[in-house]
Amino acid sequence: MNQDQKKEKSAKEAYKLIEPSIRRDSVIGIGTGSTTNYFIEELNQARLDIKGVVCSSEASAELIDNVYQVLSLNEVHSIDFYVDGADEFNDRKELIKGGGGALTREKILASCSETFICIVDESKFTNLLGSFPLPIEVLEIARSAISRELMKMGGKPIFRNGFTTDNGHQIIDIHNLPMEVPYELEEKINNLPGVVENGIFSKRKADIILSATDTEIKEIR
Ligand code: 5RP
């Protein structure tokens, strides 16, 4: 089974998991990325009778393609289920996200959700987060200053050239950043002036991780 097939398997499992709890007033939060795209396919095929969806990116909203009402977060009280992929996860259900650059909206939706289901294939597992370069969304004016601070912390910042987030900001990807205590690092980076958000999901980590292997779906709760 290749990686895409595993991503699809995990997305289908997420749909199966939430389906029995869906009601007419349900709001589903939709992440961003290739794994989430498989979840959107499932959802679109099902044509559920729900209040609507809230999307973490323009790209995901486009894929919903009017099958569901795409709501703004301001229009809803909370999100019942937020389903999204990740670039890395550990067995504490902490994540690195933002490979696709949607980390800020993803973190906001995750934080407003009752249940955050993370869908991945097994290759994303790590004991120690940080092999995947950490994405940080920054205000353009502060990019160099933030990069210097990240270098002091031991990381190697690389500017994601030519990329602008849906919020109109830039991304720097930090390589080789020591990440022994993700919770503390998440807060420390977000305290740097000009940082919009960073891709460590430790304060609001996943509630359930569905990780697809060749033979099964591992469910981490
Ligand atoms: C986007 C993300 C994605 O969830 C992450 O990059 C995983 O993507 P994929 O499902 O394509 O492997 O955080 O900002």
Side-chain angles (χ1 to χ4, degrees):
M1 195 177 268
N2 65 32
Q3 190 184 23
D4 274 334
Q5 289 168 322
K6 288 181 202 166
K7 287 180 177 189
E8 185 174 8
K9 196 163 125 178
S10 137
K12 286 189 162 162
E13 190 67 20
Y15 178 76
K16 268 199 250 162
L17 191 68
I18 66 167
E19 207 252 322
S21 311
I22 295 296
R23 301 178 313 265
R24 285 196 74 180
D25 63 346
S26 292
V27 175
I28 299 176
I30 311 280
T32 299
S34 56
T35 318
T36 304
N37 290 349
Y38 287 118
F39 178 73
I40 295 173
E41 270 178 32
E42 279 303 290
L43 211 56
N44 281 353
Q45 270 170 28
R47 295 190 167 263
L48 299 170
D49 183 16
I50 56 173
K51 180 167 177 173
V53 299
V54 181
C55 295
S56 67
S57 63
E58 309 295 341
S60 293
E62 257 180 50
L63 289 176
I64 290 293
D65 201 22
N66 293 325
V67 177
Y68 297 98
Q69 191 168 1
V70 177
L71 303 161
S72 120
L73 185 60
N74 294 318
E75 294 176 86
V76 304
H77 287 295
S78 80
I79 292 171
D80 298 274
F81 296 99
Y82 178 60
V83 179
D84 197 359
D87 298 300
E88 276 188 350
F89 71 97
N90 64 18
D91 53 16
R92 295 159 57 97
K93 291 173 283 175
E94 296 169 315
L95 316 169
I96 288 188
K97 289 185 47 53
L103 60 147
T104 301
R105 295 189 188 190
E106 291 172 343
K107 198 178 280 191
I108 295 169
L109 297 199
S111 75
C112 294
S113 66
E114 302 289 333
T115 307
F116 173 13
I117 302 170
C118 180
I119 49 178
V120 284
D121 67 89
E122 60 184 339
S123 71
K124 308 281 183 76
F125 176 77
T126 178
N127 283 314
L128 185 63
L129 297 177
S131 300
F132 189 90
L134 176 68
I136 305 181
E137 181 166 353
V138 299
L139 297 187
E140 189 270 337
I141 187 181
R143 189 184 71 228
S144 299
I146 292 166
S147 295
R148 282 193 291 274
E149 290 304 315
L150 268 297
M151 283 166 76
K152 285 185 205 158
M153 293 181 204
K156 183 177 175 234
I158 308 269
F159 172 44
R160 206 182 285 187
N161 213 346
F163 182 87
T164 306
T165 69
D166 284 349
N167 313 311
H169 301 128
Q170 298 183 337
I171 298 262
I172 46 179
D173 294 298
I174 316 300
H175 296 246
N176 307 328
L177 191 63
M179 219 174 277
E180 277 78 21
V181 189
Y183 189 91
E184 285 174 11
L185 193 60
E186 180 177 0
E187 190 167 276
K188 189 172 173 189
I189 294 173
N190 277 357
N191 280 339
L192 297 172
V195 167
V196 178
E197 191 50 82
N198 74 79
I200 301 174
F201 282 56
S202 174
K203 292 185 157 193
R204 193 348 171 177
K205 50 192 186 177
D207 297 305
I208 303 168
I209 294 185
L210 300 173
S211 168
T213 73
D214 276 324
T215 53
E216 58 170 348
I217 302 277
K218 283 191 186 148
E219 189 173 314
I220 307 168
R221 283 182 186 254

